[in-house]
Amino acid sequence: MVRARLILAPALLGLSALSLGACQQQPAETAEATAAPEAKPGLAVTDGRLILPVVGGNPAGIYFTLTNTGDKPGTLAAVSIDGAAKAEMHETKGGTMSPVPQIEVPAGGTVKFEPGALHVMAFDLDAKLVAGGTAEMTLTFADGDKLSAPLKIESRTGGDGMAGMDHGEGMDHGSGH
């Protein structure tokens, strides 16, 4: 009986050590998740949609509303779209479209990205981006904070107000595509 206790004691001690080890690993994983970058406080994206081009190979249009409920302005510096090689912020004024390097989002304000005004162009689209699906958009701010939001993928015939507008021809969208 004493011998059985001597054999069981180290085994139980070993199991206890494994259990404690597992408990100690859990907080490390939680700490990593907590340390990950969080969304920019006070900013929210709504009504996000990606409008596919009528002609394959042309860029897609991205439209959404960006609201800042915070007490400090934010500066949107870049946009990326999962499934697009490149994305650029553009503005159309007086019939001319040009890239915009950054956009100020005032404290307590809203900036709308819509057809014929501020918008995002997405270039070299992956074939997995199809009408009825979704894509992830990530906004990067000048201070390095990021905000991600889903985009509904729609066809150009979905009544987005841009039928007949071809962003690909005659427009200089920058180099690299």
Side-chain angles (χ1 to χ4, degrees), residues 20-84:
L20 286 175
C23 289
Q24 289 174 350
Q25 288 176 356
Q26 186 65 27
E29 291 172 10
T30 303
E32 274 184 43
T34 306
E38 294 183 14
K40 182 109 176 122
L43 289 169
V45 172
T46 56
D47 304 322
R49 57 195 180 117
L50 180 151
I51 307 299
L52 294 169
V54 173
V55 177
N58 282 350
I62 309 327
Y63 311 109
F64 57 96
T65 300
L66 179 58
T67 303
N68 182 355
T69 60
D71 58 359
K72 294 180 182 163
T75 303
L76 181 58
V79 178
S80 64
I81 309 297
D82 185 33

Side-chain angles (χ1 to χ4, degrees), residues 1-10:
M1 186 107 114
V2 172
R3 185 170 195 183
R5 285 186 189 159
L6 290 175
I7 294 173
L8 286 176

Side-chain angles (χ1 to χ4, degrees), residues 38-171:
E38 294 183 14
K40 182 109 176 122
L43 289 169
V45 172
T46 56
D47 304 322
R49 57 195 180 117
L50 180 151
I51 307 299
L52 294 169
V54 173
V55 177
N58 282 350
I62 309 327
Y63 311 109
F64 57 96
T65 300
L66 179 58
T67 303
N68 182 355
T69 60
D71 58 359
K72 294 180 182 163
T75 303
L76 181 58
V79 178
S80 64
I81 309 297
D82 185 33
K86 179 180 177 181
E88 295 178 355
M89 296 182 288
H90 285 190
E91 184 171 25
T92 302
K93 282 186 177 177
T96 303
M97 182 176 14
S98 57
V100 177
Q102 61 186 23
I103 296 170
E104 290 295 316
V105 185
T110 297
V111 176
K112 289 188 177 226
F113 289 74
E114 54 194 358
L118 281 175
H119 59 280
V120 174
M121 302 293 294
F123 300 91
D124 300 324
L125 304 177
D126 189 308
K128 72 179 182 179
L129 299 177
V130 295
T134 60
E136 176 107 354
M137 173 178 68
T138 301
L139 306 179
T140 303
F141 294 85
D143 61 5
D145 279 346
K146 295 183 178 191
L147 173 62
S148 292
L151 297 170
K152 292 180 197 174
I153 302 174
E154 301 175 3
S155 67
R156 178 110 18 218
T157 57
D160 68 351
M162 295 198 52
M165 195 172 170
D166 186 354
H167 289 337
E169 296 183 26
M171 296 285 183

